[in-house]
Amino acid sequence: CCFAVLLLHRPGEGSIMQSFDAPKGVQLINSGGDVTIERSSRAEKVRVEIDKGASNMDLDVKDGVLTVRGRNDPHIGNTDMRLTIPADTDLTVAGLAGDLSIGGRSDGKLSVQLLRGDVSAERVGALSVDILESGSVSVQRVEGPLNFRVQGSGELSVERA
């Protein structure tokens, strides 16, 4: 139905700061580097800040979902990204090689496909984790279903489920 091509504000070489309407969720795909996400009950839009490596990322909104996609192999990527998202936004992360930190509480779904790295989160609704190479996932609280699969080496820590 809907497809938007976005013109991005680039405050500096290789950086992005932009806000998006994404009521159906956020997808981060093929990202290499560190990602920090803050879930906020005050946020109405998704705010994306990429300090370095922005020239290797594509951002678009389609059918209410914001997709942030890396163009290169995430193993060689070095992107530093910060997102602020509405508290109950569903979040899908696929092909991450790096560390992901998610602050704030949410009843939204979190789905992570981790190549390698570490993931930490506070409270999530449902959680699905797939570790392909190596990594660890630490979540304080999972309110809904929990799925965990390791194809390489990995560990999961949940304080309360």
Side-chain angles (χ1 to χ4, degrees), residues 91-126:
L91 178 62
T92 300
V93 179
L96 175 67
D99 294 336
L100 170 64
S101 173
I102 304 170
R105 298 171 180 224
S106 174
D107 291 326
K109 298 175 193 172
L110 173 60
S111 176
V112 177
Q113 180 198 56
L114 185 63
L115 297 174
R116 59 173 168 72
D118 298 315
V119 176
S120 65
E122 289 180 26
R123 189 183 93 184
V124 299

Side-chain angles (χ1 to χ4, degrees), residues 45-112:
K45 293 185 175 188
V46 175
R47 180 163 175 81
V48 177
E49 299 176 52
I50 303 175
D51 290 333
K52 62 181 180 179
S55 59
N56 295 320
M57 305 299 289
D58 292 320
L59 291 85
D60 73 88
V61 176
K62 184 175 182 181
D63 298 327
V65 176
L66 170 64
T67 301
V68 180
R69 182 183 311 270
R71 290 189 207 130
N72 299 325
D73 180 347
H75 289 90
I76 60 172
N78 193 17
T79 302
D80 287 338
M81 188 179 332
R82 287 181 312 282
L83 284 80
T84 302
I85 64 176
D88 292 331
T89 300
D90 290 341
L91 178 62
T92 300
V93 179
L96 175 67
D99 294 336
L100 170 64
S101 173
I102 304 170
R105 298 171 180 224
S106 174
D107 291 326
K109 298 175 193 172
L110 173 60
S111 176
V112 177

Side-chain angles (χ1 to χ4, degrees), residues 1-19:
C1 157
C2 305
F3 179 74
V5 175
L6 305 169
L7 300 175
L8 302 173
H9 169 63
R10 295 178 189 251
E13 186 75 26
S15 64
I16 292 174
M17 283 193 314
Q18 184 73 31
S19 294

